[in-house]
Amino acid sequence: MNAVIEEAVPYAWGRKHPTIVECTQSLKGVQDALYVLNGKWKLPIIIALSHGPMRFRELQRTIRTVTARVLSKELKELEMNEFLIRHVYPTTPVTIEYELTPYSETLDSVIEALRNWGLQHRERILKKDHSIDANFPEA
């Protein structure tokens, strides 16, 4: 019976059902990614920093609706996961800038795929019901 479970079975449209092992690996990978990128602020912070280093207040003004407390927490987590570097300059007052690491570029295709899917989804939903437009977040 295990041989049957481990064998990939095609879906009706040509894709294959993953094996249990493949499914488990996929779930682990997705769970890890969601754990690191959890919340609604990490990707917007990364996108904002893709234009170059920024100070805390610049980031807060760019993202607009994030609170200082949440932004601080998200920046610490992004630094811990090696997506950004915090530079402290010995000026008076102290200047702190945040900059993306080269490792953050590994998210480029993820961000591009999410952007494309989000635009397609928005268009699909708006075609279906124009009253939904008010529920979509503004950029």
Side-chain angles (χ1 to χ4, degrees):
M1 180 147 177
N2 284 343
V4 174
I5 292 173
E6 291 300 319
E7 183 180 327
V9 180
Y11 279 126
W13 59 87
R15 287 185 12 187
K16 293 184 176 185
H17 283 290
T19 65
I20 291 174
V21 171
E22 291 169 333
C23 185
T24 301
Q25 289 172 338
S26 292
L27 286 171
K28 285 179 184 177
V30 169
Q31 288 171 330
D32 290 346
L34 291 176
Y35 176 78
V36 171
L37 299 171
N38 68 347
K40 66 180 189 176
W41 300 113
K42 286 191 179 74
L43 290 176
I45 291 167
I46 289 169
I47 292 167
L49 288 172
S50 70
H51 299 288
M54 292 180 150
R55 293 171 67 176
F56 187 89
R57 294 282 182 230
E58 291 174 296
L59 273 169
Q60 196 173 19
R61 277 192 297 269
T62 300
I63 300 174
R64 292 187 295 209
T65 53
V66 66
T67 65
R69 180 178 167 192
V70 170
L71 180 58
S72 178
K73 175 186 158 294
E74 300 291 280
L75 288 168
K76 285 175 187 170
E77 289 178 12
L78 286 168
E79 184 180 15
M80 180 185 73
N81 285 293
E82 302 179 0
F83 292 113
L84 62 83
I85 297 172
R86 181 177 182 259
H87 296 286
V88 181
Y89 299 102
T91 58
T92 306
V94 173
T95 302
I96 299 172
E97 278 188 340
Y98 298 91
E99 180 180 19
L100 293 179
T101 64
Y103 180 64
S104 69
E105 292 175 13
T106 61
L107 292 173
D108 289 351
S109 61
V110 173
I111 292 169
E112 180 71 15
L114 283 170
R115 180 181 93 47
N116 290 340
W117 183 87
L119 292 172
Q120 289 173 354
H121 179 69
R122 177 184 293 261
E123 185 177 318
R124 175 188 172 106
I125 296 301
L126 291 178
K127 280 182 184 176
K128 183 178 174 183
D129 185 354
H130 292 290
S131 67
I132 294 176
D133 191 31
N135 295 326
F136 273 89
E138 290 299 317

